[in-house]
Structures are given as C-alpha cells and as structure tokens.
Amino acid sequence: MSKALSPYVNRDLSWIEFNRRVLEEAQDPTTPLLERAKFLSIVSSNMDEFMSVRMAGIQDQLKAGYTKMDFTGYTPQGLWKRLIKRTGQMVAEQYRTYREVMRGLAREGIHIREMDDLNASQAAAVEHYFRTIVFPVLTPMAVDQSRPFPLLHTKELYLAVLLRDPEEEPEAEPYFAIVQVPSILPRCVALPVRGNSKKLEYVLLEDLIRSFIHTLFSGYSLEAVHPFRLTRNADLTLNEEGAEDLLEEIEKELRRRRWGMPVRLEIGEGFHPYALDLLQEELEIGDHVVRIGGPLDLSFLMRFAGSIGGKESLRYPKLEPVYPRELEEHELIFDTIRERDVLLHHPYESFEPLAEFVQQAADDPQVLAIKMTLYRVSGQSELVQALAAAAEAGKQVTVVVELKARFDEERNIAWARQLEKAGCHVVYGLVGLKTHAKILLVVRREADQLRRYVHVGTGNYNDSTAKAYTDIGLFTSHPIIGADASALFNEVTGYSSPYEWQAFSVAPSGLTEQLFRLIDRERRHAEEGRGGYIAAKMNSLSNQEMIDKLYEASRSGVRIDLIVRGVCCLRPGVPGLSENIRVVSIVDRFLEHSRLLYLRNAGEEEVYLSSADWMTRNLTRRIELMCPVFDPSLRDSLIALLRLQLSDNVKARELQASGGYERMRPAEGEELLRSQFQAERISSWKKALPQAEQA
C-alpha cells in the first residue's frame, strides 16, 4: 500500500463514484432507451442533493475558515477543489450521454425539436399554446434602481433577458430582466404531427418561451436570452432545545431555506458576459459556475419518459408485485402472523399487505392500540388514511412522525396535522435525534391475554418507493420482539428508564456496541480455528470506528463480504489491512435499499434486518433499529438472497483498493447472473442460486 494512500476512501469522492455508476446505467447500450433517460434524470437529482447538502456544508467550512483535515486526509479546501473538478467531468459526460440517448430515441420516432425546426402547423400550435396557456402565468422581473434583484428559488429554471431601448445610445448598458420558466407547466410540450404518423415530437418549454419572450417587453429590442439555474444550501439549522413547538420551528426554517446561500450556478452555453457578471455579483456565487451543453436540469427526463405511451420495447419488462402466498391462507392477516412469521420482499412482493394490516386493525374490535413510525410517506398514503380511520374508530393510535426527513418536511407536516385532526397521538421524536426506525405495532385482545403483532422493515412506509426500492419487511407475533417493540415506543413517546433489549439493538444507545460484539465474536471464531464469516448489505458505510472494527476482523482472518450500494469509505483488498474484505455495489433497475447482516457464528447462523446504514449519523444521531430473524426458513431465504447478490456478474461492481470500481464479468463458461432479475422468482431464491461455496 502506498504511503500516500489513506486507509480510508473519502466519503464525498466515494459518492461521486456512486453517481458515476448510475451514469453508467444510462450509458449501457443494453439498458432500454427510456430507462437510460430515467437514469440520466436520477444523475441530475442526485447531483442537486449533493450540491445543496454536501457541497454546501464544505462551503460553510471554507467561509468559517475551517482547515482541519478529516480522517480520510482531506482539508475542506483540497476537497472542494477536487470535487469541483470531478463533478464538472461528470456533468460533461452526462450531457454527452444525453445527446447519445436523444439520437437513439430519434431513431425510434421520439424527438425533442428546436423551435427553428418546426413546420408551419407546429409553429402555429405552439404560438397558440403560448398565448393561451403560458403567457398568462409568466411574470417579467426587471432589475434596476427602483426594482431590486428578485428572490431566485433553488433548483428552478429561469431566463436571463438583456434588452435595449432603441432610443438610447448603442454603448449604453443593456437593461436586465428575469423570467421564471413556470414549473407548474409540463417541461416538454407535445407537438402536433400528421394523423398517420407514429412520431412523437416535443419542444422544451424554455425554448418556446424564449421564442415569444419579446411579447413581454414591448418597445424594447432583445439582445440576449439565456437559461440559468441556481442551487442553494438546503440544510436546515434547527434549535430544537429552544423550540417550544418543533413543527413551527421547522416551518420557519423551511421558509429560511429559500434564502439559503447559493452553492452552484448553472448556465447555458454562450451566456452573455454582462448577464453573468450581474448574476455573480448579486448572488455572490463566486466561481462555481457550471456551463451546460444542453438543456439545464435533466431531471425532467423522468416524467418525460414516463409520459410516453406504448413503446414497451424501450422499457424494462413490467413487474407486477405478487401478493405473498402465506397471507392468503386466512382472511385476517393476524391469523397468519399468529401461526408463522412472514417475510415481504419489495418490490417483487406487494406493499398492499401493510395497508391491509392497518385497515384490518382499524376495523377489528379486538384491537386496542396501533403504534407506528413514519419517516417518508407518499402523497396519497393508504397507510396514513387507515391510521386516521383507526383513531376515528376509537383505537389508541400513536404515530411518531419524523418532521426532519430532508426534503420531505412539508409533506410530513401536512400528514402530522391530518393525523392529529383525526385523533391520533402524534409525536415528533426526541430532541436532537431523527427517528429513522421502521416499525409498526398492533396490540390485540385475544381470549385472556394481549398479543402484540409487529412489522419491522428496512425501508420507509411508502407505497410509491416500495415499487422502485428493494426492501425487506418482517411480520411477526414473537413475544420477545413484541415486548421490545412496546419498550421502544415507550422510550420515544414518554419517559422511560433504560431498557434491557431482548431482541432489538437500538441506536444511538446500543446498536454500535452490539455490532462490535457480533464482529468480535466472529473474530474470536476465526482466531480459534472455527472460521469466521460476515456478510452485510447496506446503502452506505462511512463510520470510521466501524471500518476499523472490520479491518481488525479481517486481520484476524474473518472473511467479509459487503454489499454497499452507495458511499463506502472502507478500502478493501489492502495487504495486511483488508485483504479478506470484498465490497460490491449493485446498481440496476431498482434501488437497492435493504439493510441486512449475516454472521456464520461457527455454524449457529444469525441474520438481522435493520433500518440503519453504518454511517456516523445513523449510529449516533438517529433512532435506528436492528432486529433478528428467528424463523429458520426465513433466515435461510435471506442468506440465499445475500449469496445471490454476491454472485451477480452483470450489474455488480467491485470496489478496488484504489477507490475505483470494476464491473463484475462472468468467468469463461459461467452463466450470466443478474440478481434483481433472479430475485423476481420470489418463491425460489435458493433454486435460482448457483452452487456457491458455503462460507
């Protein structure tokens, strides 16, 4: 290992590598064209969040004069420069890919046209659309001595307009105005085509507005019109200790977010120097200006690709989630869970049982109480409606709503108010901690006893993301898990002395310590000749202490397989440090989101599912939950799933000691194995596996 090479990969540089893997899916010619467009959209959305949170945080450090080196060996100044260079390279590559995808779509009869290319009937149609639909919602904002520079909203698209008064001298400074491209209207405007034509043709809304923008400035001549877009710091700074009402404090902070410090200015090519100087001066943006060789903000491609009817050959084959067979055995889900634990694997299996479970609890006169955590919820959540119905039916309903779920704060505030109005007891969690655990508890009277029914998951209770994210959920009535579930809600909602967990491990009070104990136990097995093996799956791994513990186990001979989709600060394959550690990342049709842990434990295998990634924020600043899977058959299924993903040789990339990733390729004579496509066969995970060597 080179002396100059840190034992750790920098978190932000690792994130760049992750977004590059997403971009590779857009570049892959075997990915259907409309899906490639969607991946380009995801790259843009990912980059927006990275700029508004991570880059904004580094910018704050620079302004504060912070110069301390992080544990990966970077100062804020050095990291900022490297990230600017790497993100710039990625944007250039993204737009090369965009042009390639657009050429491919054009061959399939799908075109985004330039205004100059429209025929007479199309030109007449867009002019009518502009005058009747677009013009009424446009607001020209002049900037001069009497009209100050307007508030520019983050991630909105604008046009910078330079104007001339024909009666003034040519050398006079031009007039400057701003026009917002209304986000309430579709970004892609459909064009009329001949009746028998199968072509689909569109024009971008900003191009349409630019063609008719002179109608907003009668009496002036246009000198230049250019698109631009601003990204602001979106991190909330909350004083939870001093807040009398956390909901009101977050609402205030959301309003302040509109005024967050500018982090990035995106501009179109050929942007007029006068307009750019004015924007840089007014926004105090510095030199973080990104010149874009194409339409700004490619996130519109997600909606665009989804709006195109037909063209099924340009999409992934449709996946219809199956209803779990086990839950069809009885009319009430309670009756099944009382007999056996049930595992749900989304999106291959339906999310419907969760809403049905809560609805059945709302309707059941034997149910006394429902308790649930909500972190990110969809816009039309049946779960929330069922909780409200349960409260209105007289049940004791307690909902822990996390108001600080980034970028979902406003939606969660709305849900919290609706639930309170229905009679639910709504709790906003503990001061200084986000409630990220995914748990649902139903208390039911049965004969002479109370029985607890529990659902524990790795993903949010969100029916929309459950169609696009891979997650694991466990239904159980195991009394030990039920007792722990009650204790967890008591700690979050009331005053409770420290509880001796029987099954759960809970952050921030004990999850790290339990993970360390489990890793150390595996290390002792290896040192005493019984072999040691750990397999773990998560979204991100960046906590230094956790990485050091894995390095320690590796040096003792423990074999470690990690499936880390995104950020990974651990550097595998380094002699004397991590030669027994392998890290793979799977980026495919669905977002890999489940968190799982397997330990061989000298043959007494253990499997856990969790809400927590191995990041400092999850382990120290969030309420997280890790739960064992007791049922041997379900445990075997999850072990099989981990082996399946570790055998992927189509969409898996392996992290190298250099910090880069290499795509896995099948060995000579080896069959292609794409784990997400194999996992669709939910009833035969183990049958779908190659005869992989038992760890």
Side-chain angles (χ1 to χ4, degrees), residues 304-536:
F304 171 70
S307 70
I308 294 174
K311 305 288 185 181
E312 296 308 311
S313 64
L314 305 183
R315 309 179 197 275
Y316 288 127
K318 192 172 183 179
L319 172 69
E320 289 292 346
V322 299
Y323 195 92
R325 295 191 311 273
E326 307 95 313
L327 297 179
E328 294 178 337
E329 296 172 2
H330 298 283
E331 184 176 346
L332 290 179
I333 294 175
F334 298 111
D335 295 335
T336 300
I337 303 173
R338 188 167 54 249
E339 295 176 358
R340 59 187 295 189
D341 290 356
V342 176
L343 205 64
L344 301 180
H345 189 197
H346 310 299
Y348 313 106
E349 291 186 306
S350 173
F351 190 79
E352 288 179 17
L354 279 159
E356 289 179 8
F357 181 61
V358 177
Q359 190 61 59
Q360 288 179 11
D363 297 337
D364 191 335
Q366 302 305 314
V367 168
L368 305 179
I370 305 171
K371 302 183 181 186
M372 188 175 188
T373 59
L374 292 179
Y375 190 75
R376 297 190 193 277
V377 190
S378 69
Q380 302 293 327
S381 175
E382 292 183 11
L383 269 173
V384 173
Q385 294 165 15
L387 289 169
E392 289 166 351
K395 313 294 184 189
Q396 293 291 319
V397 180
T398 302
V399 187
V400 182
V401 179
E402 182 46 71
L403 297 181
K404 303 184 292 293
R406 183 180 288 135
F407 302 123
D408 279 324
E409 299 95 344
E410 292 182 75
R411 178 178 292 170
N412 286 5
I413 287 171
W415 282 128
R417 288 196 164 127
Q418 181 175 328
L419 289 167
E420 284 180 330
K421 188 176 180 181
C424 299
H425 179 211
V426 178
V427 179
Y428 303 139
L430 300 177
V431 171
L433 299 174
K434 285 186 179 181
T435 304
H436 194 249
K438 327 294 184 186
I439 184 167
L440 166 60
L441 168 66
V442 173
V443 181
R444 190 171 188 257
R445 184 192 296 113
E446 296 180 0
D448 296 328
Q449 65 173 341
L450 294 181
R451 189 184 299 273
R452 299 178 179 95
Y453 294 87
V454 180
H455 175 273
V456 179
T458 66
N460 299 309
Y461 290 116
N462 187 313
D463 56 332
S464 294
T465 57
K467 298 172 185 174
Y469 293 11
T470 69
D471 271 307
I472 301 293
L474 174 69
F475 274 125
T476 182
S477 62
H478 196 292
I480 292 177
I481 291 178
D484 278 6
S486 288
L488 178 61
F489 279 105
N490 289 342
E491 287 202 1
V492 174
T493 63
Y495 297 107
S496 180
S497 58
Y499 177 77
E500 291 294 327
W501 304 105
Q502 300 176 75
F504 288 174
S505 301
V506 178
S509 58
L511 177 55
T512 301
E513 292 76 11
Q514 174 66 357
L515 288 169
F516 283 3
R517 281 192 290 270
L518 294 173
I519 295 170
D520 282 338
R521 186 185 65 189
E522 215 62 26
R523 177 177 55 80
R524 289 192 297 272
H525 287 319
E527 291 172 346
E528 294 168 9
R530 293 186 294 273
Y533 178 69
I534 299 169

